[in-house]
Amino acid sequence: MPTLDIIIAGAGMGGLSAALALQQAGHRVRLFERAVELAPIGAAISIWPNGVKVLDRLGLGPAIAAVSGDMRTMSYHDQQGQLLTRFSLLPLYDAVGRPAQPIARAQLQRLLLDAVGAERVTLGVGCEGFEQDEQGVTVTLSDGRQERADLLIAADGTHSRLRDRVVGQSITRDYCGYVNWNGRVKIAPDLADEHEWAQFVGNHQRVSLMPMGGDEFYFFFDVPLPKGTPNDRSRYREELAGHFAGWAPPVQRLIERLDPQGVARVEIHDTRPLTTLVRGRVALLGDSAHSMAPDLGQGGCQAMEDAWVLARCLEAEADPLAALQAYEQARVERVAGIVERARKRCEITHGQAPEATRAWYAELAEETGETVIAGLRKTADGGPL
């Protein structure tokens, strides 16, 4: 396997995971990140077993386990707080060999950056474009410089500047129909059990509390709203109190206790599944390759899978162009299927198919855990490890 000089556009979860996997495989990596500081987007990330397996192989397993949430059960309640179902997640963990590990995005980012080395990352400089030839790729940076490398990995997120050029057509981000508020709040028994992922559903809306480590819950609120509704941080509490008026006491307490300054409000978008992820010496990775609704909790996990598979393909193929083609073949159907499943789950959860949403509420009252765990296991078992 030749040692390659690889530029990575973006130092988010996907870019850092790729950098670590490629470094450990013996390659030289340089990351260029448009943001002037590495501030995580969102409070936390749920790393499901397929992502945990990748992080374990990258040597971060013990460090991740030490700071992640201990999530043992899952429950659904209706909007009045009546329990619809509660079940253990341990059968899932036993079946796939790893637990889920919800973790603060800032913690995960710090662990990845420390493992990669901050000196590998140039902040405040984005990758604007590229030209390639038989010997390599020339990357144009936002400060006017040009950098030469053997390969370019476009891990520059859902707003990728490079995606259209790789795919050969304009790719639009599609609004999924709902707004998500997310943040962190101190664990308290009058909100939810410290080891439980508790969700409240009704009226096509959802509230979630998930243990994320550090004696905190990761919370989010989902509300179907028209695109472009005003985003006024000073009104977050008032806005949520209006959307969730009359909901269960834990929901009211959560609204009272949240700190609006620490809340992210996001209009959820995705992109349609792509049929190609590679053009010559340039490959898409993470959200640039498969921006998806968060309804399966798989966005970050799929970026981690991408990173692992990319490194293995470069190990297996002496020709880097053939390696990128192998990466595309290994990933394109996998990620397309998850993008589509995430959008379908989004449509059911958030009332875009109202009859299906009503049916789902009824099914939750009969749920033993087997159906939910089967879906989670399908995703975990489909990964590369």
Side-chain angles (χ1 to χ4, degrees):
M1 175 195 69
T3 296
L4 300 173
D5 183 22
I6 302 174
I7 288 177
I8 300 175
M13 222 65 72
L16 288 171
S17 297
L20 183 54
L22 293 168
Q23 262 186 188
Q24 292 181 352
H27 302 294
R28 295 186 297 271
V29 298
R30 291 174 286 157
L31 298 94
F32 293 92
E33 167 56 51
R34 187 175 305 278
V36 295
E37 62 176 334
L38 287 180
I41 301 172
I45 178 174
S46 50
I47 311 176
W48 290 95
N50 54 311
V52 172
K53 289 179 180 180
V54 173
L55 293 174
D56 281 351
R57 290 290 193 93
L58 293 177
L60 295 179
I64 297 293
V67 294
S68 61
D70 181 10
M71 187 168 71
R72 304 175 191 173
T73 59
M74 183 174 175
S75 68
Y76 280 93
H77 306 73
D78 66 17
Q79 61 198 81
Q80 284 75 42
Q82 180 175 337
L83 181 67
L84 298 172
T85 184
R86 175 179 286 118
F87 51 88
S88 173
L89 290 169
L90 299 184
L92 168 68
Y93 302 163
D94 290 342
V96 301
R98 293 291 190 283
Q101 294 184 323
I103 185 174
R105 283 182 177 268
Q107 289 272 26
L108 178 57
Q109 193 170 62
R110 179 183 59 79
L111 291 170
L112 285 167
L113 184 62
D114 287 349
V116 169
E119 71 278 3
R120 306 279 183 186
V121 181
T122 300
L123 295 175
V125 179
C127 295
E128 298 291 333
F130 60 86
E131 298 292 339
Q132 52 185 324
D133 53 42
E134 292 183 3
Q135 284 74 45
V137 58
T138 301
V139 182
T140 301
L141 303 177
S142 59
D143 62 3
R145 283 184 293 153
Q146 291 190 324
E147 293 285 339
R148 186 79 171 162
D150 294 309
L151 299 176
L152 169 62
I153 308 305
D156 53 341
T158 184
H159 297 282
S160 174
R161 303 282 182 95
L162 305 175
R163 177 171 52 217
D164 289 0
R165 178 79 183 282
V166 172
V167 177
Q169 60 179 294
S170 178
I171 302 298
T172 59
R173 297 172 69 248
D174 301 318
Y175 183 48
C176 294
Y178 74 96
V179 175
N180 169 281
W181 292 257
N182 70 82
R184 48 207 293 182
V185 68
K186 187 173 178 59
I187 284 176
D190 61 353
L191 293 176
D193 182 89
E194 62 180 334
H195 300 298
E196 184 161 291
W197 179 16
Q199 299 184 73
F200 298 80
V201 295
N203 194 32
H204 309 159
Q205 300 177 176
R206 178 169 58 153
V207 183
S208 171
L209 288 152
M210 176 184 284
M212 59 176 277
D215 195 32
E216 290 182 310
F217 284 127
Y218 167 53
F219 69 80
F220 64 77
F221 299 84
D222 290 342
V223 180
L225 288 172
K227 185 177 180 180
T229 51
N231 183 356
D232 181 351
R233 185 176 299 278
S234 70
R235 295 192 67 253
Y236 282 0
R237 184 175 283 115
E238 178 185 351
E239 193 175 7
L240 289 169
H243 289 309
F244 293 93
W247 281 52
V251 175
Q252 305 307 318
R253 295 185 194 111
L254 175 58
I255 294 170
E256 291 167 6
R257 294 175 194 175
L258 64 82
D259 175 10
Q261 295 305 311
V263 172
R265 182 189 189 274
V266 185
E267 290 188 341
I268 300 300
H269 290 72
D270 67 4
T271 55
R272 65 181 183 271
L274 304 181
T275 57
T276 182
L277 306 179
V278 168
R279 178 178 291 267
R281 294 176 175 272
V282 185
L284 300 175
L285 183 145
D287 282 352
S288 70
H290 42 73
S291 183
M292 63 186 69
D295 294 73
L296 294 183
Q298 278 291 317
C301 293
Q302 290 308 302
M304 295 167 196
E305 287 189 11
D306 289 347
W308 181 259
V309 171
L310 175 62
R312 302 291 73 76
C313 289
L314 287 168
E315 273 185 337
E317 295 279 355
D319 177 4
L321 277 76
L324 292 193
Q325 287 298 319
Y327 162 76
E328 178 181 272
Q329 291 169 15
R331 296 302 294 160
V332 69
E333 290 187 9
R334 164 74 165 163
V335 296
I338 292 180
V339 168
E340 290 172 343
R341 285 174 54 205
R343 174 55 87 118
K344 187 173 294 185
R345 170 49 53 192
C346 158
E347 291 171 353
I348 292 173
T349 302
H350 302 102
Q352 293 175 33
E355 290 186 9
T357 306
R358 284 193 293 272
W360 178 54
Y361 293 160
E363 289 164 6
L364 285 175
E366 306 296 326
E367 177 63 63
T368 63
E370 292 182 15
T371 302
V372 174
I373 286 175
L376 295 169
R377 183 173 181 181
K378 175 183 177 182
T379 303
D381 285 343
L385 294 173

